[in-house]
């Protein structure tokens, strides 16, 4: 008891020291970016053997999980915790977090009191701490979230020391390596201060090493790797390849949800819609995602219907700003001006800016007065992979009288469209046209992202020195709306290049 109290006192003092750091605002910005949304999925599929709670969990039957006791205490606690965490993350019911948050400590205490020392005990302890760290990021409790990551890191390191051959350790350690390894360089000293080490590519390697001896972990690692490839590395081909289509779990609502997220990021909105609509069960967020696929396609009445359904069913605050923005634009594109103005006001005054999606909605809203409506339609059509529609819109817009800025934005959209269609020659031509005017558009993301994309194309052609030059150029831009995200991708690309070339 004395050692436990002493440990708590030490952690309290360390927490006070962390609060004194002057980089609080910067710290909050990057930590939310690297954790949300793509690592929320890590809780979805973890299992050992055929524990009955697994099928309940994958079908969103959270209450059944909590009521299912198999006398296998470590795993029962684990699944019950997963049910709580997923309910808080996916449903965002107003009382959900306050009702369930105390169970983290209750379950950790039960694990500590287990007399039998097994690799599962330490592994599940680390996982529970990691689960609630992610919930706290979702709720905006950054310091509690950071402390949860730190506790999880310490727990899994201890378990690795005690049970080095226990393969599931690789999953937790892999996730933490990806998270800590993606911390911007200027904030790495915070990680060093608290003994946290991570390497993105080591994390990927650990996830890839999980074997078929643990099929559920194997499935989860494939899905996580897909998210890393899509969200961090923009390797959409590999992201889709990593999606398993042979597992007995691929038709469950949970896996359909993850596959939809990856396909949306990989510019394949139609396929994402198929996964969501064919799911045997859904959560309110499904309606938001389906609405996105219709909005990107330009089917605004269908989009409005699903966005409204999402607002009716969802009780949380996430994605509200983006939903109101898309409702406004859907009505605006349909010449329903009063409804357009009404939803713009809701976008300004309702919802929160906790997610990157909502933060982006606010950025779009601020620049809306100066935005060409057709250019917006082109942007969203490209996002969804509706390339024929984007082509048609571009051809029409080119017949109009455009400002210098509008012409430049159109050139950037043509670069993105040709790149995603696989036309490398024209993609490079248009990207280079954009970066040729980089000084004129220093406050936009068009130039830095053009440098990043040219770097990817040079790397694919094995022109590694050229690729390095373009990736480094991304980092030279001092200010633009997506600096944290693009800088992170450029640094990952540079690290990947060094691994490829041995430099």
């Amino acid at each position: 008891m004395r050692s436990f109290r002493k440990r708590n006192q030490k952690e309290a003092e360390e927490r006070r020291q962390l609060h004194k750091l002057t980089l609080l605002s910067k710290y909050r910005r990057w930590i939310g970016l690297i954790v949300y949304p793509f690592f929320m999925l890590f809780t979805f599929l973890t299992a050992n053997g055929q524990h009955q709670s697994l099928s309940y969990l994958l079908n969103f039957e959270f209450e059944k999980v909590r009521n299912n006791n198999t006398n296998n205490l470590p795993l029962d606690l684990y699944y019950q915790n997963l049910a709580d965490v997923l309910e808080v993350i996916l449903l965002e019911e107003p009382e959900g977090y306050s009702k369930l948050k105390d169970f983290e400590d209750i379950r950790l205490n039960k694990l500590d009191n287990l007399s039998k020392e097994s690799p599962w005990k330490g592994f599940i302890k680390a996982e529970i701490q990691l689960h609630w760290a992610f919930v706290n990021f979702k709720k905006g409790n950054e310091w509690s979230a950071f402390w949860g990551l730190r506790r999880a890191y310490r727990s899994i390191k201890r378990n690795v020391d005690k049970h080095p051959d226990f393969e599931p350790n690789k999953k937790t350690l892999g996730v933490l390596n990806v998270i800590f390894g993606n911390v911007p360089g200027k904030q790495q000293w915070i990680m060093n201060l608290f003994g946290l080490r991570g390497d993105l590519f080591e994390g990927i390697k650990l996830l890839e090493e999980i074997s078929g001896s643990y099929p559920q972990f194997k499935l989860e690692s494939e899905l996580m790797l897909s998210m890393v490839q899509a969200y961090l590395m923009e390797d959409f081909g590999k992201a889709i390849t990593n999606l398993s289509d042979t597992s007995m779990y691929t038709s469950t609502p949970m896996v359909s949800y993850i596959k939809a997220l990856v396909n949306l990021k990989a510019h394949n909105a139609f396929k994402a819609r198929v996964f969501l609509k064919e799911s045997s069960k859904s959560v309110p967020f499904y309606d938001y995602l389906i609405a996105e696929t219709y909005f990107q396609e330009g089917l605004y009445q269908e989009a409005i219907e699903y966005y409204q359904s999402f607002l009716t069913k969802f009780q949380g605050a996430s994605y509200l700003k983006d939903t109101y923005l898309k409702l406004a634009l859907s009505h605006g594109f349909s010449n329903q001006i009063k409804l357009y103005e009404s939803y713009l006001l809701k976008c300004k005054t309702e919802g929160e800016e906790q997610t990157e999606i909502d933060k982006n909605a606010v950025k779009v809203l601020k620049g809306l007065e100066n935005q060409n409506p057709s250019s917006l339609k082109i942007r969203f059509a490209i996002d969804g992979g509706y390339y024929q529609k984007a082509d048609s819109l571009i051809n029409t817009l080119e017949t109009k009288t455009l400002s210098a800025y509008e012409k430049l934005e159109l050139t950037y959209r043509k670069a993105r469209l040709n790149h995603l269609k696989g036309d490398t020659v024209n993609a490079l031509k248009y990207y280079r046209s954009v970066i040729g005017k980089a000084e004129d558009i220093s406050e936009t993301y068009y130039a830095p992202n053009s440098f990043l994309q040219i770097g990817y194309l040079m790397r694919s052609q094995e022109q590694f020195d050229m690729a390095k030059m373009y990736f480094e150029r991304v980092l030279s831009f001092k200010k633009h709306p997506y600096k944290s995200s693009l800088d992170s991708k450029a640094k990952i690309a540079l690290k990947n290049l060094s691994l490829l070339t041995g430099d």
Side-chain angles (χ1 to χ4, degrees):
M1 177 66 77
R2 182 176 298 174
S3 63
F4 179 75
R5 187 182 302 115
K6 193 173 182 180
R7 187 184 72 208
N8 281 352
Q9 289 172 346
K10 181 182 178 183
E11 288 190 356
E13 177 57 29
E14 289 175 333
R15 186 187 290 258
R16 282 192 290 271
Q17 292 300 317
L18 186 59
H19 270 288
K20 292 178 182 178
L21 297 176
T22 60
L23 291 179
L24 172 60
S25 60
K26 291 183 180 179
Y27 173 78
R28 286 180 172 174
R29 284 200 296 271
W30 64 255
I31 200 70
L33 175 67
I34 64 174
V35 172
Y36 188 85
F38 38 90
F39 288 114
M40 287 299 171
L41 68 91
F42 92 104
T43 58
F44 290 173
L45 303 168
T46 307
N48 176 46
Q50 296 299 316
H51 195 285
Q52 178 61 49
S53 290
L54 175 62
S55 61
Y56 295 148
L57 194 68
L58 295 179
N59 286 286
F60 301 139
E61 297 176 312
F62 304 132
E63 198 59 40
K64 285 185 179 180
V65 177
R66 283 190 283 266
N67 293 331
N68 186 45
N69 293 300
T70 66
N71 296 319
N72 185 346
L73 190 55
L75 281 173
D76 283 345
L77 291 173
Y78 180 67
Y79 279 108
Q80 289 161 11
N81 194 73
L82 278 173
D84 289 353
V85 166
L86 286 169
E87 187 171 309
V88 172
I89 289 174
L90 292 176
L91 302 185
E92 288 195 31
E93 293 175 343
E95 304 300 321
Y97 177 73
S98 59
K99 181 178 70 175
L100 299 172
K101 64 183 177 66
D102 291 339
F103 283 102
E104 176 189 7
D105 287 335
I106 291 171
R107 292 180 182 124
L108 289 174
N109 287 335
K110 285 184 178 180
L111 279 172
D112 285 339
N113 290 331
L114 289 178
S115 57
K116 183 181 178 182
E117 190 64 44
S118 78
W120 286 105
K121 178 179 173 180
F123 167 74
I124 291 173
K125 180 177 182 178
E127 286 285 294
I128 288 175
Q129 290 164 336
L130 195 53
H131 297 170
W132 283 98
F134 280 19
V135 171
N136 278 309
F137 277 121
K138 172 86 170 175
K139 300 296 292 184
N141 304 327
E142 287 89 357
W143 296 118
S144 295
F146 176 84
W147 220 251
L149 289 178
R150 183 172 183 264
R151 293 169 69 199
Y153 181 77
R154 287 183 164 187
S155 295
I156 200 63
K157 292 290 282 186
R158 284 194 294 267
N159 210 49
V160 169
D161 291 341
K162 291 180 182 177
H163 309 283
D165 297 325
F166 186 60
E167 195 168 300
N169 285 332
K170 293 181 178 180
K171 186 193 76 71
T172 313
L173 198 56
V175 171
L176 287 166
N177 263 279
V178 172
I179 292 174
F180 296 145
N182 198 35
V183 173
K186 289 183 179 180
Q187 279 76 45
Q188 277 289 348
W189 69 274
I190 302 178
M191 301 291 101
N192 296 334
L193 181 65
F194 288 92
L196 303 175
R197 302 286 186 273
D199 182 276
L200 172 67
F201 291 94
E202 175 64 19
I204 291 172
K205 179 173 175 286
L206 287 168
L207 292 172
E208 289 176 338
E209 287 176 352
I210 297 173
S211 70
S213 301
Y214 295 88
Q216 292 82 6
F217 287 121
K218 182 66 175 174
L219 172 62
E220 182 183 7
S221 68
E222 289 172 353
L223 293 166
M224 291 175 65
L225 287 166
S226 292
M227 296 290 272
V228 170
Q229 294 294 345
Y231 280 82
L232 287 179
M233 306 179 81
E234 292 199 15
D235 191 339
F236 302 126
K238 189 174 276 188
I240 297 298
T241 300
N242 276 331
L243 290 174
S244 172
D245 59 2
T246 59
S247 168
M248 62 184 289
Y249 302 119
T250 53
S251 62
T252 60
M254 195 73 77
V255 180
S256 295
Y257 169 64
I258 297 167
K259 286 189 170 185
L261 289 179
V262 172
N263 275 279
L264 276 168
K265 187 64 179 176
H267 306 278
N268 198 339
F270 180 79
K271 194 167 185 178
R273 187 194 305 162
V274 171
F275 281 123
L276 294 166
K277 284 199 166 188
E278 289 183 352
S279 177
S280 60
K281 193 173 182 179
S282 68
V283 293
F285 191 48
Y286 273 40
D287 286 340
Y288 168 84
L289 295 176
I290 293 171
E292 287 284 278
T293 70
Y294 282 122
F295 178 77
Q296 290 168 346
E297 192 175 1
L299 299 176
Y300 300 119
Q301 193 53 50
E302 290 86 346
I304 289 168
E305 179 184 334
Y306 277 96
Y307 283 130
Q308 291 287 10
S309 178
F310 169 69
L311 291 175
T312 300
K313 297 175 185 176
F314 190 60
Q315 299 182 49
S318 299
Y319 318 110
L320 294 187
K321 286 191 176 295
D322 191 67
T323 296
Y324 287 130
L325 174 68
K326 301 295 177 52
L327 279 167
L329 292 174
S330 295
H331 286 294
F333 293 149
S334 304
N335 294 316
Q336 298 170 319
I337 304 305
K338 287 186 177 180
L339 288 169
Y340 165 76
E341 292 173 346
S342 173
Y343 282 113
L344 278 189
L345 181 60
K346 284 181 176 290
C347 179
K348 292 176 182 177
T349 58
E350 298 186 24
E352 298 175 353
E353 291 184 56
Q354 291 289 350
T355 70
E356 289 304 306
I357 291 172
D358 287 319
K359 290 174 184 177
N360 184 59
V362 172
K363 290 174 185 174
V364 173
L365 180 65
K366 288 179 179 177
L368 204 53
E369 287 185 4
N370 301 317
Q371 180 67 60
N372 186 303
S374 294
S375 294
L376 271 180
K377 289 182 182 180
I378 293 167
R379 170 184 176 177
F380 294 125
I382 293 173
D383 285 347
Y386 297 107
Y387 301 144
Q388 187 173 351
K389 180 178 180 61
D391 259 329
S392 176
L393 288 165
I394 286 172
N395 290 335
T396 300
L397 189 57
E398 284 184 314
T399 66
K400 309 292 184 183
T401 302
L402 303 175
S403 67
Y405 176 85
E406 288 173 330
K407 288 178 181 177
L408 187 61
E409 181 181 1
L410 185 59
T411 302
Y412 172 77
R413 300 299 171 201
K414 288 161 78 172
R416 296 297 295 134
L417 179 59
N418 281 280
H419 188 171
L420 293 167
K421 287 169 63 177
D423 186 346
T424 300
V425 172
N426 278 313
L428 285 171
K429 180 181 76 172
Y430 291 124
Y431 280 136
R432 284 173 175 145
S433 179
V434 172
I435 64 177
K437 299 181 180 179
E439 298 303 321
D440 299 333
I441 51 169
S442 59
E443 295 295 309
T444 78
Y445 65 93
Y446 303 145
N449 196 42
S450 292
F451 278 108
L452 180 69
Q453 300 302 327
I454 294 176
Y456 289 146
L457 290 170
M458 294 295 100
R459 186 181 65 189
S460 71
Q461 296 175 4
E462 298 188 355
Q463 298 184 46
F464 298 132
D465 288 340
M466 291 289 288
K468 181 180 179 182
M469 181 188 73
Y470 281 108
F471 291 140
E472 288 176 341
R473 188 70 174 85
V474 177
L475 305 177
S476 69
F477 286 82
K478 302 302 182 186
K479 183 180 179 182
H480 58 84
Y482 298 99
K483 182 169 176 58
S484 293
S485 175
L486 294 182
D487 281 6
S488 176
K489 289 175 182 177
K491 288 176 182 178
I492 291 169
L494 285 166
K495 178 68 180 294
N496 192 26
L497 270 184
S498 69
L499 294 174
L500 287 172
T501 59
D503 292 342

